[in-house]
Amino acid sequence: MEKRELIYEGKAKRVYTTADPDLVIQYFKDDATAFNAQKRGTITSKGIINNALSETFFRLLAANGVPTHFVERLNDREMLVKRLEIIPVETVVRNVVAGSLAKRLGLEEGKELPSPIVEYYYKSDALGDPMINEWHATVLGMATHAELQRINELTLHVNSVLRPFLAHRNLLLIDMKLEFGRHKGEILLGDEICPDTCRFWDATTRKKLDKDRFRQDLGEVEEAYQEVHRRICIG
Ligand code: UDP
């Protein structure tokens, strides 16, 4: 399947049409941004690693009953996926306090939550992805109640599949962001699952092995992505 027309260019990916109107190609870039694109940089080989990691996670999730947009990985940087009508609600699921949760509620980073928390954010670069609740999403027509219920259920299920898989590789899944879309009447998990969109800590040392190394200028950014790739895709 070959790329045709560029239809979207985001911070980390490009999306192209194909000869099949139901399928598009995601191309993974090395570009990295943080703080709503105020900080910009490059993480060498990030695109290759995120493509490979996303493939592994999508295959694992599909095997565990989660419908995803993944069709096949085409090469190092390209993945064939089902074309989605993106629902503009990003979900974040959290197991351990970090990032904006620590800041907003004055909680200590690293504190394990008694059970997962799901949050919704309105997908809007112009507004910096503000947090919303079910009322905003439904009353403002972003998603129906039934869709949100399904998204919530899938989000918790993804979390419950990935946590033990990662724990087995001595990684803690601190939190992650998921995106969903509509395809032929069904809600599918879309986007990517990688160290850009999840927080992964080494379970023993609690060393951060994700995009926080870039966000917080912690150094060893490439090495962290390579380490996660090694543990998940190479074993
Ligand atoms: N996240 C993301 N894209 C965003 C915002 C957050 O992928 O635009 C991910 C982030 O990597 C983390 C989780 O969602 O795994 C929760 O992020 P948080 O709300 O703590 O925001 P941040 O601290 O990144 O501003």
Side-chain angles (χ1 to χ4, degrees):
M1 191 72 71
E2 287 192 4
K3 302 198 285 286
R4 284 201 171 171
E5 192 192 336
L6 177 69
I7 48 171
Y8 168 81
E9 174 143 18
K11 287 167 267 186
K13 291 192 298 299
R14 294 188 199 113
V15 178
Y16 296 88
T17 56
T18 66
D20 184 336
D22 286 330
L23 299 176
V24 294
I25 290 173
Q26 291 197 139
Y27 175 96
F28 290 77
K29 305 193 284 185
D30 286 350
D31 298 349
T33 61
F35 313 119
N36 203 26
Q38 284 169 35
K39 179 182 169 101
R40 289 170 186 274
T42 303
I43 301 172
T44 306
S45 298
K46 172 171 85 74
I48 297 170
I49 289 173
N50 287 356
N51 192 21
L53 283 170
S54 292
E55 176 189 20
T56 304
F57 288 132
F58 283 135
R59 287 190 189 280
L60 172 73
L61 291 167
N64 283 276
V66 177
T68 85
H69 71 158
F70 177 79
V71 178
E72 62 174 328
R73 190 169 61 82
L74 298 172
N75 54 50
D76 268 6
R77 289 187 183 268
E78 291 174 357
M79 175 184 283
L80 186 66
V81 297
K82 293 177 183 165
R83 187 170 189 161
L84 299 182
E85 183 194 335
I86 286 288
I87 296 169
V89 178
E90 298 183 347
T91 65
V92 167
V93 57
R94 303 177 179 276
N95 301 305
V96 175
V97 173
S100 68
L101 178 63
K103 205 181 285 180
R104 223 160 32 79
L105 298 185
L107 299 172
E108 193 187 339
E109 183 176 83
K111 184 180 143 62
E112 180 152 358
L113 297 165
S115 61
I117 290 176
V118 177
E119 300 170 346
Y120 302 116
Y121 292 86
Y122 174 44
K123 190 173 159 62
S124 163
D125 285 339
L127 299 173
D129 296 348
M131 189 189 237
I132 55 171
N133 64 26
E134 289 93 342
W135 291 89
H136 301 103
T138 52
V139 174
L140 299 174
M142 299 166 196
T144 66
H145 275 292
E147 285 176 334
L148 270 192
Q149 200 178 347
R150 178 72 175 145
I151 286 172
N152 198 61
E153 170 189 86
L154 287 172
T155 298
L156 288 170
H157 186 46
V158 168
N159 188 49
S160 69
V161 171
L162 295 194
R163 270 181 100 177
F165 175 83
L166 290 160
H168 192 64
R169 287 147 184 86
N170 209 39
L171 290 169
L172 287 176
L173 178 59
I174 305 300
D175 55 33
M176 68 180 152
K177 186 261 301 177
L178 300 174
E179 295 187 29
F180 296 88
R182 307 176 184 99
H183 181 88
K184 299 185 175 175
E186 202 188 0
I187 302 282
L188 304 184
L189 176 65
D191 197 42
E192 59 182 325
I193 304 178
C194 62
D196 281 5
T197 62
C198 303
R199 286 192 169 97
F200 300 125
W201 292 0
D202 181 278
T204 309
T205 63
R206 296 173 85 81
K207 180 176 178 178
K208 293 176 179 176
L209 296 173
D210 54 58
K211 202 167 119 181
D212 271 351
R213 302 206 73 82
F214 169 78
R215 293 188 187 103
Q216 301 170 5
D217 293 318
L218 299 176
E220 298 178 54
V221 182
E222 274 87 2
E223 290 82 353
Y225 280 71
Q226 284 160 14
E227 179 61 19
V228 171
H229 177 257
R230 191 186 64 71
R231 291 193 202 183
I232 292 171
C233 299
I234 300 168

